[in-house]
């Protein structure tokens, strides 16, 4: 079972952290609902629960994340064309990607702990 809640940078914080990829499968089977592990949709983000951390803010190279919100338009303009052009010219395929806000932060590979921000 994967547990996940939203975060300050809009990534999903899961039991294996935020730097991950998820997918979905469509199947004609009965699956019992997964018990809801949280009481709040942002519960695993230290900023929303305890008002601390915010390390993803300074990780963003274009200032798309602030204490009040993530500006998806600013993020998008960095992905296209900046990272897209970089991936194409450096690796030779039609891809894009960013994600400093998901790496080297307390929620990168786990549900973060307060001690990670001390
Ligand atoms: S780095 Fe900190 S503030 Fe940002 S999403 Fe992770 S836990 Fe929340
Ligand atoms: S994906 Fe990149 S540009 Fe978008 S918020 Fe994260 S660090 Fe910033």
């Amino acid at each position: 079972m994967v547990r996940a809640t939203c975060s300050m940078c809009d990534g999903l914080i899961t039991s294996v952290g935020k730097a991950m990829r998820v997918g979905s499968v469509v199947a004609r089977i009965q699956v019992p609902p997964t018990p809801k592990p949280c009481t709040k949709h942002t519960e695993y983000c230290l900023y929303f629960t305890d008002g601390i951390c915010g390390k993803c803010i300074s990780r963003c190279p274009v200032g798309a994340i602030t204490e009040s919100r993530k500006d998806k338009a600013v993020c998008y303009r960095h992905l296209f064309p900046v990272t897209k052009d970089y991936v194409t010219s450096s690796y030779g395929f039609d891809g894009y990607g960013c994600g400093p806000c998901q790496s080297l932060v307390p929620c990168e590979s786990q549900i973060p702990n307060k001690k990670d921000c001390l």
Side-chain angles (χ1 to χ4, degrees), residues 9 59-62 64-65 70 74-75 78-79 98-102:
C9 78
R59 291 285 296 152
C60 177
V62 291
I65 308 169
K70 174 182 171 182
V74 172
C75 175
H78 184 58
L79 297 179
C98 187
C101 59
Q102 299 178 6

